[in-house]
Amino acid sequence: MTRPVLSRWNWWVWALLALVGVFVLGVTAVRFAPPGSTVAVWWPAAGLAVSFLLATGRDRRAYLFLVGVLLSSGAANYYGGRPSVVALCFGVANAAEAAVVHGLLTRGVRRPTLASMEDLWRLLAATLAGALVFGVLAGLTVRFGLDGPFLATMSAVTASHAAAVLVLAPMGLAARVLRAQPLGLEDLVQWVAVVGVTVWVFHAGQLLPLAFLPIPVLVWGALRLGQRTVAVQLLVVGVTAVVMTSRGGGPFASAALTGGIRPETVGALTQAFLATAAVTALSLAVATTQRRTALSELRDEVELSGVVLDTAASAIVVVDRDGTIARLNATAARLIGDTEEAIVGRLAADAFPAADRERVVATMAGIARGTSPLTEEHDWHVKGLGVRRMVWTNAYLTDDDGRRTHLVKTGVDVTDERAARTFVEAVLEAATATAIIGMDLEGVVTLFNRGAENVIGWQASDVVGRHDWPLLHDPAEIATRAAELGVEPGFDVLVHLVREGAPAETRDWTCVRRDGTRRTVSLTMSGIRDQSGSLTGYLAVAEDVTRRRQAEIALQVALDRERQAVEELTALDRTKSDFVSTVSHELRTPLASVLGYAEMLEDGAAGPLTDRQVELVSRVDRNGRRLLSLIEDLLLNSRIEAGRLQLDLRRCDLTDVVASAWSSVNTVTAQRDLDRRVELGERPLWVEGDPVALERMVTNLFSNAVKFTPDGGRVSLGLRVDEQEPSTVHLVVADSGMGIPAADHERVFARFFRSNAANERAIQGSGLGLSIVRAIAEGHGGTVSVESEPEQGATFTVSLPRTLAEANSDGPALLRAGRTYRDQKDDS
């Protein structure tokens, strides 16, 4: 795991601290240089500069930091007592070294790491290259600035700087690496051992040549504690060894005192120790890290393989060369009928619930010889599922010498699939009157059932596997459809809409059979898609609709003729209505004159009349008025038929309308021996209506009741407010006449309808009265209904809406009987 080290904003703070550290370490190294030496024994400032650059990675601000390294290193050398020019040259050399190491390690990568041996070799190469650059520049500086030896200086500083970079650079490379585990007792013990052994080896009184002792302890840390701990411990060991050697402690300083070796040699030995310790510890740390990573990846791979095996729908069994089951997944264990732990280690021939055990034994025996079949099928008796058909695919595993060690068997239960396939094939073959054709994306026919052979007239062997669909269609029809779609004539004409996203397209096509005959087929083209929704092919379902289309054409011709006949009859009916309206208008004027003269004769305008003359004039008046009523009905019916019934709606008192209607029919009905009764409310009953039309409606209802009621019967007319709906008023006309059969209840409101009973009894009438009643009631937003039985009389109810104010003032109460008109003809 890695983590960010320097953010954008604190980079400058860390850079400044690093440059201060370069200065302090440089001054310290110069101060601790062995007496008589022109160079320091160790130059940790170089390692610190490189470590910071490696921690920040490839950053554009690295050039600014290198300038800072030049200045701080030069200042440290100048402060340590070296001439200004020499100090500046050493600063340039230090900056150049850091630039070379950083450039080589970040080449091609943004942030260098120490995760593999290749990375370690790159670190060693970059360190050596940087140290050589510094050694050459420092040797030239000493040769020409301090008049010292070039080669001796170059070799000494190359070793010191290489050791410093090797010790400190891993700190920068490991800065982004997190610890894999928390600190423990082993960490504490190992740290105490590293520090204790290093201090003991390099203390002032120790003269034994035991400089190698810290290295095993560092190896301990490399193998157990990780790169970060190794990097820090290398720094601690390096600083301890250099400081104590500079003060005369340890085996290298004691060798100088007893053996008379030069101070530069003491420094070289110290650097060699540090380089050896660094290379040894880092090599083991990197190798350990790689091993841990490989083991982790292996564990992940094993876990992933186990998950894949256990979640696979196929049965997977691994059998060794002796026929023993080494591993299997959950699917295989379920089919065998036991747990994986109980099955592993058993012979496959004994564990497999195969119907043919001998074939399994033969397959297992052929593993070592390589004679086991690559594919095979077995019937397995699976508990709870019965006999299942298993198809197995076998693959060998071999060792490094190529010897077959295991057989991996992958089995698929194809029982349901084959049953479904058999069922589908049976359905396809049974559809003898329906063509089912499958095609791939290029139009190659992949399925052609028996129904297609019957409908299309081609054999499956003629078209399956071929791109011969154009043979089945009329070329002219294909060209016409292509022009409509704006595509080239071809397969796209059939599937264009499906390719554009439509679920299916159904249209008629002309099919050209093999014998050249043409048939009309209704073809539904749909797409075949996989689980991801991608189009994989097309399915065409067609049926022969030739006769159906011919019948539809014939039916359409008949319908057109029928429509034409209806239009002609409608025109004739309109002509008839116009004729009736015209005739009625022409008759009404002279009839009005006849009635007027008859009334004048009754009034004595031509002189006194005898009783016989009065009777004759009365008959003329009654028949004239009956004829006038018929003419009015005909005119009103013509307006209703033409949709020109105009109502002059205004607020009117329905009780006055009923009273006026009663007065108008009283003279006509006065000659009948009937009990006539009208019951009205005690106050005005307001409605929104046309008084003239409403009076006509009441007159027709009352006249109809009188007409169909024999002498001695009863006729009543009443008004009442609905108890449940106060906004509705009911006009009820009842009689005790001949009644109406239930089958004729709705027909009585039709124009010109007369019942059989009325015809048999020769009751006069045009059959228009009740149809006009319904038209007027519905024109006022109301309804009319009838209740009647033969010889039990009839009750007609007209329901009309009242004005809103009147309805609210009434509440749910009924109108109280106020005025009652009762008129019964005298016996005389």
Side-chain angles (χ1 to χ4, degrees):
M1 299 176 59
T2 61
R3 62 180 179 182
V5 179
L6 303 178
S7 68
R8 177 178 299 179
W9 299 109
N10 61 15
W11 185 92
W12 297 101
V13 176
W14 285 104
L16 180 61
L17 293 176
L19 292 176
V20 171
V22 169
F23 174 79
V24 173
L25 291 177
V27 171
T28 303
V30 172
R31 292 293 185 182
F32 280 95
S37 175
T38 57
V39 295
V41 174
W42 197 45
W43 193 259
L48 177 60
V50 171
S51 180
F52 175 81
L53 289 173
L54 295 180
T56 58
R58 192 166 56 188
D59 194 296
R60 295 180 179 179
R61 294 168 292 187
Y63 299 104
L64 297 177
F65 182 78
L66 290 173
V67 174
V69 171
L70 185 153
L71 296 177
S72 60
S73 297
N77 280 276
Y78 180 78
Y79 185 81
R82 291 187 172 124
S84 58
V85 176
V86 174
L88 179 61
C89 291
F90 275 123
V92 172
N94 278 282
E97 177 189 20
V100 169
V101 177
H102 178 257
L104 292 176
L105 289 179
T106 58
R107 183 179 180 182
V109 294
R110 180 170 179 80
R111 292 187 181 276
T113 59
L114 197 59
S116 64
M117 296 304 296
E118 289 77 10
D119 294 336
L120 178 60
W121 282 112
R122 289 183 62 191
L123 173 63
L124 295 177
T127 301
L128 180 60
L132 287 174
V133 169
F134 181 84
V136 172
L137 295 178
L140 293 175
T141 299
V142 171
R143 175 67 184 84
F144 295 103
L146 299 177
D147 199 22
F150 171 78
L151 292 177
T153 302
M154 185 188 74
S155 60
V157 299
T158 298
S160 66
H161 278 250
V165 172
L166 283 177
V167 171
L168 291 176
M171 288 288 294
L173 295 173
R176 293 182 299 277
V177 180
L178 297 176
R179 286 186 58 88
Q181 55 187 8
L183 294 174
L185 179 61
E186 183 179 5
D187 297 79
L188 179 61
V189 174
Q190 198 270 344
W191 267 103
V192 171
V194 167
V195 175
V197 170
T198 303
V199 171
W200 181 76
V201 169
F202 289 97
H203 77 281
Q206 206 286 113
L207 303 179
L208 298 175
L210 299 176
F212 65 89
L213 281 182
I215 294 179
V217 186
L218 288 173
V219 169
W220 176 13
L223 294 175
R224 298 285 298 170
L225 305 182
Q227 289 185 14
R228 291 190 65 190
T229 301
V230 172
V232 176
Q233 289 182 354
L234 281 176
L235 176 61
V236 171
V237 170
V239 171
T240 302
V242 170
V243 171
M244 299 188 74
T245 299
S246 299
R247 302 186 65 173
F252 304 130
S254 62
L257 295 176
T258 58
I261 61 176
R262 298 177 58 195
E264 288 80 359
T265 304
V266 173
L269 292 174
T270 305
Q271 310 316 319
F273 164 74
L274 294 178
T276 303
V279 171
T280 303
L282 291 176
S283 299
L284 291 175
V286 170
T288 302
T289 300
Q290 283 186 302
R291 178 176 175 273
R292 289 174 180 168
T293 302
L295 290 176
S296 177
E297 292 177 352
L298 181 59
R299 283 194 298 270
D300 293 342
E301 185 177 351
V302 171
E303 293 178 0
L304 178 62
S305 300
V307 171
V308 171
L309 287 176
D310 290 336
T311 56
S314 302
I316 302 176
V317 183
V318 181
V319 184
D320 63 19
R321 59 188 300 147
D322 296 327
T324 303
I325 298 176
R327 187 173 182 182
L328 73 164
N329 67 345
T331 302
R334 187 182 70 254
L335 291 173
I336 293 175
D338 208 336
T339 63
E340 182 178 355
E341 293 76 11
I343 297 173
V344 171
R346 295 174 57 188
L347 291 176
D350 296 335
F352 287 2
D356 190 352
R357 185 177 183 278
E358 298 302 324
R359 289 185 57 190
V360 178
V361 172
T363 300
M364 298 301 109
I367 295 178
R369 300 189 303 271
T371 59
S372 298
L374 297 181
T375 58
E376 55 183 337
E377 295 187 16
H378 295 285
D379 286 334
W380 276 28
H381 295 277
V382 180
K383 185 177 180 181
L385 297 177
V387 179
R388 311 298 293 180
R389 189 65 174 178
M390 301 294 299
V391 176
W392 294 94
T393 301
N394 301 326
Y396 289 102
L397 296 180
T398 59
D399 57 16
D400 295 338
D401 298 330
R403 293 179 298 179
R404 300 175 183 86
T405 60
H406 293 81
L407 184 68
V408 179
K409 297 179 64 64
T410 303
V412 179
D413 184 355
V414 298
T415 308
D416 296 335
E417 178 185 351
R418 290 188 176 178
R421 184 192 305 171
T422 303
F423 176 77
V424 170
E425 290 176 352
V427 170
L428 292 177
E429 291 302 314
T432 57
T434 302
I436 302 177
I437 306 171
M439 291 169 285
D440 63 14
L441 295 177
E442 301 301 324
V444 177
V445 178
T446 57
L447 172 66
F448 203 81
N449 75 330
R450 182 174 299 176
E453 294 179 345
N454 297 334
V455 173
I456 308 300
W458 291 78
Q459 296 299 313
S461 58
D462 297 330
V463 293
V464 171
R466 301 174 60 183
H467 196 279
D468 289 340
W469 65 266
L471 297 175
L472 312 179
H473 292 270
D474 182 359
E477 197 173 55
I478 292 291
T480 302
R481 181 58 177 166
E484 294 176 359
L485 297 175
V487 298
E488 292 294 327
F491 182 61
D492 193 39
V493 173
L494 299 177
V495 299
H496 179 75
L497 295 183
V498 177
R499 283 180 176 174
E500 294 296 322
E505 179 193 13
T506 301
R507 63 181 295 110
D508 286 355
W509 293 93
T510 300
C511 168
V512 181
R513 297 168 62 89
R514 187 165 190 171
D515 58 6
T517 58
R518 294 171 178 261
R519 306 291 291 178
T520 300
V521 297
S522 176
L523 177 67
T524 298
M525 183 67 71
S526 58
I528 303 174
R529 302 181 182 275
D530 57 18
Q531 294 181 348
S532 64
S534 299
L535 196 64
T536 59
Y538 304 97
L539 181 66
V541 179
E543 60 177 335
D544 189 342
V545 295
T546 305
R547 294 183 178 178
R548 187 189 308 172
R549 295 296 182 260
Q550 292 172 350
E552 290 175 355
I553 293 173
L555 178 60
Q556 185 63 43
V557 171
L559 289 176
D560 291 340
R561 292 176 179 173
E562 185 71 20
R563 187 181 300 110
Q564 183 178 1
V566 170
E567 291 175 354
E568 293 176 353
L569 290 175
T570 302
L572 183 60
D573 184 68
R574 185 163 48 250
T575 302
K576 180 265 300 180
S577 298
D578 293 342
F579 173 76
V580 171
S581 178
T582 301
V583 171
S584 299
H585 277 287
E586 294 297 328
L587 291 176
R588 184 167 57 175
T589 300
L591 185 58
S593 179
V594 170
L595 292 175
Y597 284 116
E599 187 175 354
M600 291 173 63
L601 290 174
E602 285 182 338
D603 293 339
L609 300 177
T610 64
D611 292 341
R612 180 60 178 168
Q613 290 173 333
V614 170
E615 180 182 354
L616 293 176
V617 171
S618 297
R619 289 182 179 180
V620 170
D621 182 72
R622 286 197 304 273
N623 290 323
R625 292 188 182 280
R626 184 181 299 120
L627 182 59
L628 181 61
S629 176
L630 175 60
I631 292 172
E632 293 292 342
D633 284 348
L634 288 173
L635 289 174
L636 185 57
N637 179 71
S638 297
R639 290 197 296 271
I640 292 173
E641 285 183 344
R644 296 196 301 269
L645 177 62
Q646 295 180 352
L647 300 175
D648 183 15
L649 299 179
R650 61 180 181 270
R651 191 167 181 263
C652 61
D653 184 6
L654 190 58
T655 58
D656 289 342
V657 172
V658 173
S660 177
W662 169 263
S663 299
S664 65
V665 299
N666 186 42
T667 58
V668 179
T669 61
Q671 304 301 321
R672 298 290 307 282
D673 181 16
L674 298 173
D675 179 9
R676 294 169 295 163
R677 179 177 299 182
V678 178
E679 297 181 357
L680 305 176
E682 67 176 0
R683 63 168 181 263
L685 188 59
W686 300 105
V687 297
E688 291 289 335
D690 184 339
V692 176
L694 291 175
E695 183 177 346
R696 182 74 177 181
M697 178 185 71
V698 176
T699 300
N700 283 4
L701 284 173
F702 199 76
S703 299
N704 203 63
V706 170
K707 185 189 312 180
F708 289 97
T709 302
D711 290 341
R714 175 182 49 81
V715 177
S716 66
L717 187 154
L719 283 176
R720 63 181 177 85
V721 177
D722 194 304
E723 295 182 354
Q724 303 298 326
E725 295 289 340
S727 60
T728 302
V729 62
H730 298 297
L731 171 67
V732 182
V733 177
D735 64 68
S736 60
M738 56 186 295
I740 304 171
D744 293 339
H745 282 185
E746 185 62 27
R747 299 172 63 192
V748 296
F749 296 103
R751 290 182 301 152
F752 305 110
F753 174 78
R754 288 177 55 81
S755 66
N756 293 331
N759 292 328
E760 291 173 357
R761 301 184 186 185
I763 299 176
Q764 296 180 350
S766 63
L768 292 175
L770 292 179
S771 66
I772 293 174
V773 168
R774 168 173 279 185
I776 294 175
E778 292 177 349
H780 285 79
T783 60
V784 61
S785 61
V786 61
E787 296 179 3
S788 178
E789 293 182 7
E791 306 303 331
Q792 298 295 323
T795 301
F796 287 87
T797 303
V798 178
S799 301
L800 297 175
R802 302 175 60 193
T803 59
L804 183 60
E806 180 74 7
N808 291 338
S809 66
D810 284 344
L814 291 172
L815 283 174
R816 294 184 298 275
R819 292 174 288 174
T820 300
Y821 298 86
R822 183 183 180 89
D823 185 8
Q824 181 152 2
K825 180 175 173 65
D826 296 335
D827 295 336
S828 59

